[in-house]
Amino acid sequence: MAGVAYTTVGGDSYTENLIGTLLAIFGNLLVSIAVSIQKYSHVTLAGTKDPRAFYRTKTWWCGLVLTVLGEAANFVSYAFAPLSLIAPLNAVSVIASSILGFIFLREKWKPKEFLKRYVLSFLGCILTVAGTYLFATFGPNYHQKLTAENIVKQVVGWPFLLYVLLEIITFCLLLYFYKQRSANYLVVILLLVALLGSVTVITVKAVAGMLVLSVQGTMQLNYPIFYVMFVCMVATVVFQATFLSQATQLYDSSMIACVNYILSTSFAIVAGAIFYLEFNHEDILHICMFLLG
C-alpha cells in the first residue's frame, strides 16, 4: 500500500524480529511456569475445606505475578516482530506445560496408557518444535512501523475493509446458528472466538507498537486511533472470554485448548497478512516453508 513505511531487511529488522521472538518465547515460558505453580498450589490444598485457601499461599501469588510478567512480555513482543511470527510461538507454552506437568507436577499415567500417551506426547512435542523452528526461520522479515498515520491508512484500506466485512458476515451467521439454532458445537464456538481473536491480535499489535514508539520519544497517544484500537482490543478480549467460558461448560478443556490454538493461530496469521501486509515482500519458498511449519 502506497505511503506505508516498512522496516528494511538488514540489521535493524533482524534485531527487532529477534527481540520480539525472544520476548514471546520468554513470555510463554513464564506463563507455563506460572500455571504449573498455581496448579501445584491447588493440588497441595486439594483436601482443604476452604475453597479460597489458595489465596493465602505464596505459591499461588508467585504464579499470578509470573503470569502478569509473561503476558506483559507477550504484549510487548507484538511491537517488535510481525504478527505472523509471534502468534504461532504460543506453541512454546504448550510444550513447556507438557514437560512441567510431567516432571514438576509428577502427573502419572496408568501403565496401560503410559506407552501410548508418552510416545504420542513426545512425537507431538518434536513436531511442535520443528514447526516452531520453521515459523521462526521462514517468518516474514518486513513489518510496518506502527505509527498512528500508518495504522489509519491500513484501517481505511480496501483489503482490510473487505476482510472485516467478510468476518462480520461470517460471525453473524455463526452467532445466529449458535444462539437461535442451538448449534453449540465446539468448532462453532471456537470459530467465534478465533474471529474475535483476529481483531484482538491486530489491535494488540497496534496498541503495543504505538506505546513503544511513545516510550521511545515519538508520541502516539494523542491520536484518536490509539484509543479506538484500545477499546476494540478490550471489547474483543471480553467477548472471547465469554465464549470460551461457555465452551468450558460443554467440552473438555484439553480439547478446547488444542482446537482453539489451531483456529486462533490460523486466523491471526491471516489477519497479519491482510492488515500489516506481512507477506508482501516474501518469496514463494519462504511462504511455503512457513505454511509447512
Side-chain angles (χ1 to χ4, degrees), residues 96-230:
S97 295
S98 299
I99 296 173
L100 289 171
F102 184 75
I103 298 176
F104 179 66
L105 296 176
R106 300 184 182 279
E107 294 178 349
K108 301 297 182 181
W109 298 324
K110 296 178 181 179
K112 294 181 179 179
E113 298 178 334
F114 180 80
L115 182 61
K116 179 178 71 174
R117 295 186 63 176
Y118 180 80
V119 171
L120 290 177
S121 296
F122 180 76
L123 178 61
C125 286
I126 293 298
L127 291 174
T128 304
V129 169
T132 304
Y133 171 78
L134 290 176
F135 281 136
T137 304
F138 296 98
N141 291 315
Y142 287 86
H143 60 281
Q144 185 179 344
K145 286 293 185 182
L146 300 177
T147 62
E149 293 90 343
N150 287 336
I151 292 172
V152 170
K153 289 176 183 177
Q154 297 296 79
V155 169
V156 300
W158 70 264
F160 179 66
L161 292 178
L162 179 60
Y163 174 75
V164 169
L165 177 62
L166 293 174
E167 185 169 277
I168 290 174
I169 293 173
T170 304
F171 184 85
C172 291
L173 287 173
L174 289 171
L175 190 61
Y176 170 77
F177 284 107
Y178 175 56
K179 293 292 186 181
Q180 301 299 324
R181 300 291 183 177
S182 298
N184 54 355
Y185 303 109
L186 179 61
V187 173
V188 172
I189 300 174
L190 294 186
L191 275 174
L192 291 169
V193 173
L195 288 169
L196 289 168
S198 66
V199 177
T200 301
V201 292
I202 288 174
T203 54
V204 165
K205 183 173 177 63
V207 170
M210 285 189 280
L211 282 174
V212 168
L213 284 178
S214 298
V215 171
Q216 292 173 346
T218 308
M219 181 55 63
Q220 303 293 313
L221 306 186
N222 51 355
Y223 291 92
I225 189 64
F226 173 81
Y227 300 97
V228 171
M229 287 290 181
F230 182 81

